[in-house]
Amino acid sequence: MTSSPLGPRSTAIGGLTVTVDPGSAVPPYEQLRVQLIDAVAARAMVAGAKLPTVRGLAEALGIAPNTVARSYRELERDAVIETRGRAGTYIAASGDATQRQAQDAAAVFATRIRQLRIDPADALELVRAALMVD
């Protein structure tokens, strides 16, 4: 994270760096909203990617939690993201119901892998082996 008392603040979300400039004529919630939409459109953020909590992202960017919450509400309204209750906020699945089901299955798998403390690279090898068709 980079910061300046009056200048732009940036933080990483997965492989994406988001920046909010409080001195910009564009409101901070809109800056965040547009960057996430652009990242999804460019496939820099993929379906199922988990987003930071409202409070966590607000703190990282030095903005009010209500500002992040507004961005998230508008993104959810536009089906760019989805909130799964206490499980968090994720980039929404695009496409048909089978894509959604696959995303849900992957999320359950990822949660279980983390619980088991399995290395992600090892988990991916397990999935590759399970998907192999002779």
Side-chain angles (χ1 to χ4, degrees), residues 14-134:
L16 172 71
T17 299
V18 293
T19 303
V20 173
D21 182 357
S24 171
V26 178
Y29 81 90
E30 182 66 6
Q31 293 177 50
L32 179 58
R33 189 186 73 79
V34 168
Q35 288 176 73
L36 288 173
I37 287 173
D38 290 348
V40 170
R43 299 189 193 278
M45 296 285 295
V46 297
K50 188 171 184 177
L51 296 172
T53 64
V54 168
R55 290 182 202 273
L57 186 54
E59 184 177 316
L61 290 172
I63 57 179
N66 285 340
T67 301
V68 175
R70 181 172 180 185
S71 291
Y72 278 16
R73 276 193 311 273
E74 292 192 12
L75 289 163
E76 189 167 26
R77 178 200 65 208
D78 295 336
V80 175
I81 66 172
E82 60 187 16
T83 301
R84 300 179 189 165
R86 290 185 154 308
T89 303
Y90 297 81
I91 300 298
S94 57
D96 61 80
T98 58
Q99 178 69 21
R100 171 59 186 231
Q101 290 175 28
Q103 177 187 349
D104 290 345
V108 169
F109 176 78
T111 298
R112 187 64 181 141
I113 289 299
R114 283 191 294 274
Q115 290 170 343
L116 294 170
R117 299 169 126 345
I118 303 291
D119 181 88
D122 293 340
L124 289 174
E125 285 305 315
L126 292 169
V127 170
R128 283 186 188 97
L131 291 173
M132 294 302 288
V133 178
D134 292 328

